[in-house]
Amino acid sequence: MGAHLPAVLRRPAVLWTALIAALAAAVVTVLVVVPDDASEASYLDPEAPVAARVADLLGRMTIEEKVGQMTQVAVPAVEGVPSDIAELGIGSLLNGGSDALHDTAEGWAAMIDGFQTQAMDSRLSIPLVYGIDAVHGNGALPGAVVFPHNIGLGAAHDPDLAGQAAAITAAETRATGVHWTFAPCVCVARDSRWGRTYESYGEDPGLAVEYAGPVVQGLQGANLAANTSVLATAKHFVGDGGTAFGSSTTEDYLLDQGVTTLTEEELRAIHLAPFKAAVDAGVGSVMASFSSTDLGGGPVKAHADSYLINEVLKGELGFDGFVVSDWQGVDQVSEDYAEAVRLSINAGVDMVMVPFEYRRFIDTLVAEVDSGGVSEERIDNAVSRILTQKFALGLFERPFADTSGAGEIGSAEHRDTARRAAAASQTLLRNDNAILPLAADASIYVAGSGADSLGRQLGGWTASWQGSVEAVTEGTSILAGMQEVAPDAAITYSEDASEPIGDAAVGVVVVAEDPYAEGIGDAGAGEHDMRVSDADAAAIDTVCAAVDCVVIVVSGRPIEITSHLAPVDALVAAWLPGSEGAGVADPLFGMAPYGGRLPVTWPRANDQEPMNVGDEAYDPLYPYGFGLQTAG
Ligand code: GLC
């Protein structure tokens, strides 16, 4: 090598000096080029392709950090020890049930940003993703617009309108610092006695197929990183709406979390098709179902169903987002917790909604990896799916809340969309002597438990898991809506019809279910019996015996009403119309048409369920798809 050097460099002292200088330069170059853990790493480069960022970050993570990313924790479990978030590299937080933890966007943002600060203090500064059940508007935020629950949107037969509602829901959710909603439920309710019937678009899978795409796209928007977009969740995979009455594996429930017994062909046609639509629309997450399917070989818990998750959802349908468990859903897989974790993760669950004993989960899964029960390849795949959505959400660039859109929460424009959705969902089932629409200056006697009860209009998943008769958010009751829409009408209100009817020309009796959610609402499980309450039945008898009368039903599903209908001239299914009660009043006074059509069969008696369109023995009070029209 020396023969090619110029003469001056062939002197030993000069040569050594040159060599040392070259070596020093090389060392400095290596130091500058090789990124340290969190300063020059390519996963932090927003211009790098997401796949490269994921691969780079994954390559830097320990197994403990990877498992931390697969861990979702409920706020009450960690708010006392927020440093656990940084120490364990927790990947996600949630608060279940749409609980209204804060009553302002800023309050929510401050809480979430506090937890996010902890996450950003983790070794690799991986941000949290925070999820809530914003399933019909941001029900967790008093003052946000609340849309009709899905069954009402299904009655409207207007997927585009549902997409508009989803986009508003997303904007009013992301503006509070929340990144992810556990919606839409693309469940297909086949037995209306199910406490989650109202979360379904209806008994016909074609409805859920039609709605899944527009709603997912409404929630996720064109850019998941936008401050008006949230990550969506198609749930609950798969067959949650097909369980048999009495098959529930959960104490005190009858249908919810039960067993769906059918052929694989039926499962695909009825319950899987909406998930294909959601996946094709780019849904970023899917939630596993508490229920089980029995395709002939015995019940298999959905959380542990490798064929349906790994082979069908991720393989055949090409789902590249992540699968999140339901609330302690992994625990239900086996009494042996290690086995439950192993079976669920190997079946394809990527993130576990633990949501309390998160150290036990992390320790158990790490031990399973150490023992070979779960491969590191499986862990890497799960974490890659989770990180991909976090990069798409823009969380690495903007980990903290952007509340700049908070001023639009509950805006007149948003409420107008909710009012239109409520009006479009109204389903006219009887209109003898064409007494509807009512005259704007009519003399009206209003009664019933649902007339002036915002809480009953809203239903479950509103400010709390089960909802509440005493509303805890802003909105307009049906009575107030009637007064707003027909200010010249002479309206007398008496919930129990104890006031004199006087010279009223027509009566409006609004009967209602009290709010419920999940299996607690399973008809016959407890207080919710899917029938007209005694008080509302008495109000019907009193008012309808005296004058022409309209009965409006505020409910999450059809209710058994046949024996009360003799004196009733007009009957309207209002479903759970949400915060804008004027939307119920609009078609009542002809300010909008009645156009809703039944998204579920309306039985003569509850024990006719399950009864669905296409059944051979099909003798309902009103058939699927039925609805009278008015001009409006
Ligand atoms: C519930 C529900 C699920 C919800 C989750 C978080 O148990 O099954 O729909 O998203 O827990 O609240």
Side-chain angles (χ1 to χ4, degrees):
M1 183 184 85
H4 302 295
L5 288 173
V8 67
L9 288 182
R10 284 205 289 270
R11 295 183 197 148
V14 173
L15 182 59
W16 275 113
T17 303
L19 282 174
I20 289 168
L23 183 61
V27 167
V28 167
T29 301
V30 167
L31 287 177
V32 167
V33 167
V34 175
D36 63 22
D37 275 337
S39 57
E40 306 297 327
S42 65
Y43 76 91
L44 295 175
D45 174 3
E47 301 306 317
V50 168
R53 301 180 77 181
V54 169
D56 177 69
L57 179 50
L58 202 64
R60 299 167 185 278
M61 296 170 74
T62 65
I63 184 62
E64 290 78 10
E65 289 167 331
K66 292 174 180 176
V67 171
Q69 283 301 302
M70 297 169 67
T71 307
Q72 184 179 54
V73 178
V75 165
V78 76
E79 61 188 348
V81 280
S83 58
D84 279 3
I85 295 169
E87 177 198 336
L88 302 169
I90 299 294
S92 178
L93 295 184
L94 86 153
N95 60 278
S98 295
D99 290 346
L101 300 185
H102 299 278
D103 56 10
T104 64
E106 292 73 16
W108 274 96
M111 175 188 77
I112 296 170
D113 283 354
F115 293 130
Q116 192 69 288
T117 301
Q118 291 293 332
M120 300 310 284
D121 283 348
S122 60
R123 183 174 73 90
L124 293 166
S125 299
I126 302 175
L128 284 170
V129 60
Y130 191 100
I132 65 169
D133 293 277
V135 297
H136 64 144
N138 182 355
L141 178 68
V145 176
V146 181
F147 292 92
H149 269 293
N150 287 353
I151 195 167
L153 297 177
H157 287 270
D158 190 339
D160 180 62
L161 184 53
Q164 293 172 42
I168 290 169
T169 297
E172 296 200 355
T173 299
R174 194 71 182 264
T176 67
V178 173
H179 318 110
W180 177 15
T181 180
F182 308 124
C185 186
V186 292
C187 44
V188 181
R190 301 292 286 173
D191 185 327
S192 292
R193 292 172 292 185
W194 188 35
R196 307 197 76 160
T197 297
Y198 67 80
E199 296 184 65
S200 167
Y201 294 106
E203 67 189 35
D204 175 358
L207 279 171
V209 168
E210 281 181 348
Y211 279 71
V215 173
V216 165
Q217 287 161 357
L219 290 171
Q220 297 189 158
N223 174 11
L224 204 48
N227 65 359
T228 52
S229 296
V230 290
L231 181 65
T233 311
K235 71 183 187 182
H236 309 81
F237 189 82
V238 62
D240 52 343
T243 57
F245 191 83
S247 70
S248 180
T249 54
T250 299
E251 190 178 351
D252 297 334
Y253 290 0
L254 291 168
L255 270 161
D256 195 34
Q257 307 188 15
V259 181
T260 297
T261 301
L262 69 190
T263 65
E264 179 169 346
E265 182 184 4
E266 290 167 333
L267 179 76
R268 285 174 175 272
I270 299 170
H271 300 288
L272 185 67
F275 284 93
K276 181 181 188 317
V279 171
D280 291 348
V283 71
S285 71
V286 165
M287 185 180 289
S289 175
F290 284 123
S291 59
S292 307
T293 55
D294 182 347
L295 304 181
V300 177
K301 286 292 280 183
H303 276 72
D305 197 322
S306 179
Y307 169 65
L308 289 175
I309 300 177
N310 285 328
E311 296 186 42
V312 176
L313 176 65
K314 294 182 175 179
E316 186 182 320
L317 299 189
F319 175 60
D320 60 4
F322 66 89
V323 174
V324 61
S325 81
D326 205 333
W327 186 278
Q328 294 178 316
V330 166
D331 301 52
Q332 293 185 6
V333 168
S334 170
E335 290 182 3
D336 175 329
Y337 187 65
E339 180 181 54
V341 169
R342 180 172 62 252
L343 290 175
S344 301
I345 301 301
N346 286 338
V349 171
D350 300 305
M351 179 183 284
V352 173
M353 189 185 294
V354 180
F356 298 108
E357 297 179 76
Y358 49 88
R359 286 185 181 274
R360 179 178 70 149
F361 168 68
I362 292 169
D363 293 346
T364 302
L365 184 49
V366 169
E368 284 299 318
V369 175
D370 291 346
S371 69
V374 176
S375 70
E376 187 140 10
E377 179 188 15
R378 172 76 267 276
I379 299 295
D380 286 354
N381 180 263
V383 177
S384 296
R385 290 170 177 266
I386 294 165
L387 294 177
T388 298
Q389 297 306 319
K390 289 187 173 184
F391 281 120
L393 279 162
L395 293 178
F396 282 82
E397 283 66 54
R398 288 175 303 285
F400 298 107
D402 173 358
T403 58
S404 58
E408 289 305 304
I409 294 173
S411 69
E413 181 188 352
H414 290 179
R415 292 194 185 279
D416 179 63
T417 301
R419 177 171 174 170
R420 286 190 291 113
S425 67
Q426 299 308 294
T427 309
L428 182 59
L429 301 175
R430 176 185 285 188
N431 191 18
D432 291 353
N433 307 315
I435 72 166
L436 291 182
L438 302 177
D441 60 355
S443 171
I444 307 169
Y445 188 95
V446 179
S449 66
D452 193 26
S453 173
L454 194 54
R456 291 186 175 98
Q457 279 170 228
L458 298 167
W461 303 100
T462 316
S464 66
W465 179 40
Q466 293 294 308
S468 61
V469 169
E470 303 311 319
V472 286
T473 189
E474 296 166 28
T476 309
S477 71
I478 292 169
L479 174 65
M482 291 173 68
Q483 292 162 337
E484 176 188 327
V485 171
D488 297 332
I491 295 177
T492 303
Y493 168 60
S494 173
E495 179 176 343
D496 62 1
S498 57
E499 292 297 315
I501 291 182
D503 61 358
V506 64
V508 175
V509 184
V510 186
V511 306
E513 286 192 298
D514 285 352
Y516 52 79
E518 300 193 43
I520 290 173
D522 286 351
E527 62 182 286
H528 304 287
D529 60 8
M530 209 167 142
R531 286 179 168 79
V532 179
S533 70
D534 293 343
D536 281 346
I540 290 174
D541 293 344
T542 302
V543 175
C544 299
V547 289
D548 287 350
C549 75
V550 183
V551 169
I552 297 175
V553 181
V554 171
S555 64
R557 55 197 168 187
I559 62 172
E560 189 170 291
I561 197 167
T562 309
S563 62
H564 304 285
L565 288 182
V568 174
D569 301 284
L571 179 66
V572 176
W575 311 110
L576 296 174
S579 58
E580 308 311 307
V584 176
D586 283 331
L588 193 66
F589 287 99
M591 305 305 285
Y594 278 109
R597 287 180 284 120
L598 288 180
V600 289
T601 298
W602 196 294
R604 296 178 186 283
N606 293 342
D607 61 10
Q608 288 183 286
E609 293 288 356
M611 181 165 56
N612 297 289
V613 60
D615 288 354
E616 284 182 20
Y618 188 68
D619 176 32
L621 181 62
Y622 298 105
Y624 171 83
F626 179 74
L628 301 175
Q629 320 292 315
T630 59

